[in-house]
Amino acid sequence: MFTGLLDTLQRLGRAWLDFFNRLGRGNLFLLHVLAGLPGLLLRVRLLVQQIYSVGVLSLLIILVSGLFVGMVLGLQGYRTLVDYGAEESLGVMVALSLVRELGPVVTALLFAGRAGSALTAEIGLMKATEQLSGMEMMAVDPVKRVIAPRFLAGFISMPLLAAIFSAVGVYGGSLVGVNLLGVDEGAFWSQMQSAVELEKDIYNGVVKSIVFGFVVTWIAVFEGYDTVPTSEGVSRATTRTVVHSALAVLGLDFVLTALMFGEV
Amino acid sequence: MIETQEQDDAAILVRVRGLRFARGRRWIFDGVDLDIPRGRITAIMGPSGTGKTTLLRLIGGQLKPHAGSIRVDGREVPKLGHTALYELRKRMGMLFQSGALLTDMSVYDNVAFPLREHTALDERLIRDLVLMKLQAVGLRGARELLPNELSGGMARRVALARAIALDPMMIMYDEPFTGQDPISMGALVQLIRLLNDALGLTSVIVSHDVQETASIADYIYVVSDGKVVEHGPPEALNRSESPWVNQFMHGLPDGPVPFHYPGREYLDDLLDEAG
Ligand SMILES: Nc1ncnc2c1ncn2[C@@H]1O[C@H](COP(=O)(O)OP(=O)(O)O)[C@@H](O)[C@H]1O
Ligand SMILES: [Mg+2]
């Protein structure tokens, strides 16, 4: 009984130590990656390649999801608003939901599943097959050559993808609201235009997506680089990327929303 | 004192003294001394699991020893900073056991990789250099293939072409003979000799293939249990009095070298009830 308790305490303590250990390593790793960014100015091709595989290849899932999320918002919003005779505000509701919340958050979750997991698996496999080690012995720093371009590509792609998600979502909302349910088109768009504020809404949404992009990409490349170099290690690291990214995004979303719209 | 050190550096490329290195609680190296002379082929042999790959990583600065000194070309590797270490590595080629080719690039691009990273040569010149190196390993015709289309032996030869791309002062070969068929084996043995003599390289071969290694090495260190058990030219080792070296060099199943990884007595393990 007593030893059982001690055991549990010990395991708990170890888990905490492990957590802080990883956090420390993750931070040092981040510094190393950031130090590699200036060098990329001379090697734009590396960056463009990665923007393609991280960003462009995520485009399809973002377009399709954005469209459907927008259409669902249109349906649900209409049913609620019509009871109050306020269905002309549908545009406002759809746009604000997307720009403030769903755009950055859902994009970040999809991005973690589509691009983040791929980044982790790719880097982890490169480690497991000694490709990173081989680069080191060729005097090429793998953090600068492999990690830095991927990190920057993720960081750049995420806000753009979130913007595209929101735009497509608004279009989906208008498709359902205006074309299907018969909300007045002029009211839909003009109310949206006057209600959505550049600084308060759009700017804050962009800040969110930048923060999420930073965190998700950081988690993804770090998990890949820190992989236990076996097939099991790669699979675990990939899972961890998706789970940790999702938790980080949702947790940070609450914090950021409280800071931005809390108005205490 | 300084004088002799300099003379030493002129003749000895890699000098290891009192090397100690542990993995977990197990000492992989426990006081290893060895000298790798310039311009020669030195082999480091020992049963698998003795730490031959680990030794190459220590020399290349990827691992830090717990004690002892590793000097390469007059520089103390464990004490070098990032930049100095990377400068030194440009002049060290290493052939990994797996080849470690970059899987998203063709054979051609793999060999061109170090040239593109470290030189500002123009693509036409790079092409000539790459084709020369690939010709040397007999794979010029395979330049369009991707690494996953190569056999293990071919991948190792591509990796060799890549390792010599920057004309290094030394090459470290990790188990170069495993996975080669008899023909490419013969060619590879000749190639290592040729590269060493024609380019004035220093070669370090780490291997447990006794026959092939003994046939080209100028000098052999036999390592076991964290120590150098014997060293000398191949002929001397072949005639060694030591029963251990005798068993290893002639591949005898019975002798002082244990086939088993250290552990409990077999009988005790069997009698022990599960759980
Ligand atoms: N990453 C590692 N972590 C822990 N132990 C390792 C690791 N790599 C190798 N070892 C251990 O170090 C010893 C030497 O390994 P290695 O240098 O690969 O041997 P060799 O190349 O001579 O076959 C082995 O017993 C192995 O179990
Ligand atoms: Mg080995």
Side-chain angles (χ1 to χ4, degrees), chain A residues 130-131 133 136 138-139 145, chain B residues 57 62 98 103 117-118:
Chain A
E130 291 188 314
Q131 294 182 57
S133 217
E136 272 180 23
M138 285 187 281
R145 179 62 173 68
Chain B
R57 288 188 189 276
Q62 288 192 311
S98 60
T103 45
E117 289 292 320
H118 294 309

Side-chain angles (χ1 to χ4, degrees), chain A residues 32 43 46 50 122 126 129-142 144-146 150, chain B residues 57 60 62 82 86 89-90 92 94 96-98 100-105 113-114 117-118 162 172:
Chain A
H32 195 164
R43 314 195 56 177
L46 276 184
Q50 289 310 319
E122 187 192 12
M126 286 182 86
T129 52
E130 291 188 314
Q131 294 182 57
L132 298 183
S133 217
M135 269 190 202
E136 272 180 23
M137 283 307 300
M138 285 187 281
V140 177
D141 187 343
K144 294 198 173 126
R145 179 62 173 68
V146 176
R150 284 169 174 75
Chain B
R57 288 188 189 276
Q62 288 192 311
H82 190 81
Y86 272 58
R89 280 184 188 160
K90 284 184 196 167
M92 300 165 107
M94 169 134 167
F96 281 79
Q97 214 162 333
S98 60
L101 295 177
L102 300 168
T103 45
D104 58 345
M105 293 180 189
F113 182 82
E117 289 292 320
H118 294 309
R162 186 177 69 173
M172 300 187 276

Side-chain angles (χ1 to χ4, degrees), chain B residues 161-173:
Chain B
R162 186 177 69 173
I164 56 175
L166 285 174
D167 293 324
M169 61 179 175
M170 73 182 290
I171 305 194
M172 300 187 276
Y173 300 90

Side-chain angles (χ1 to χ4, degrees), chain B residues 49 52-54 97 174-175 206:
Chain B
K52 301 182 297 296
T53 302
T54 309
Q97 214 162 333
D174 194 353
E175 311 279 4
V206 146

Side-chain angles (χ1 to χ4, degrees), chain A residues 10-221:
Chain A
Q10 207 171 27
R11 235 174 295 144
L12 212 67
R14 174 162 299 276
W16 273 103
L17 280 183
D18 277 356
F19 174 75
F20 282 110
N21 186 324
R22 286 178 71 78
L23 200 64
R25 268 181 298 145
N27 278 306
L28 286 180
F29 175 74
L30 182 63
L31 288 182
H32 195 164
V33 174
L34 294 180
L37 293 185
L40 284 178
L41 292 178
L42 299 172
R43 314 195 56 177
V44 182
R45 253 188 54 171
L46 276 184
L47 182 63
V48 172
Q49 255 174 17
Q50 289 310 319
I51 290 185
Y52 177 76
S53 72
V54 170
V56 177
L57 295 182
S58 306
L59 202 55
L60 187 65
I61 186 175
I62 294 296
L63 288 174
V64 174
S65 314
L67 188 69
F68 277 107
V69 168
M71 291 187 339
V72 170
L73 277 177
L75 276 177
Q76 294 279 18
Y78 181 83
R79 289 186 47 127
T80 311
L81 293 172
V82 80
D83 289 343
Y84 303 96
E87 69 271 17
E88 294 190 337
S89 306
L90 184 63
V92 180
M93 202 216 95
V94 168
L96 284 186
S97 314
L98 281 166
V99 171
R100 285 183 177 180
E101 279 304 326
L102 294 174
V105 173
V106 177
T107 305
L109 295 177
L110 292 171
F111 185 74
R114 170 65 181 79
S117 61
L119 277 178
T120 305
E122 187 192 12
I123 296 169
L125 265 173
M126 286 182 86
K127 183 176 179 186
T129 52
E130 291 188 314
Q131 294 182 57
L132 298 183
S133 217
M135 269 190 202
E136 272 180 23
M137 283 307 300
M138 285 187 281
V140 177
D141 187 343
V143 173
K144 294 198 173 126
R145 179 62 173 68
V146 176
I147 310 288
R150 284 169 174 75
F151 178 78
L152 190 58
F155 181 64
I156 293 174
S157 304
M158 187 26 228
L160 296 176
L161 290 172
I164 292 171
F165 184 97
S166 295
V168 175
V170 167
Y171 174 70
S174 80
L175 218 58
V176 168
V178 176
N179 300 2
L180 199 70
L181 301 172
V183 174
D184 180 63
E185 189 171 10
F188 183 92
W189 292 109
S190 66
Q191 287 208 14
M192 185 193 303
Q193 270 175 21
S194 58
V196 178
E197 287 172 38
L198 179 66
E199 239 172 65
K200 211 169 121 228
D201 302 315
I202 303 215
Y203 170 77
N204 279 338
V206 170
V207 168
K208 274 188 182 178
S209 64
I210 287 177
V211 172
F212 297 161
F214 184 88
V215 172
V216 170
T217 322
W218 177 23
I219 291 177
V221 292

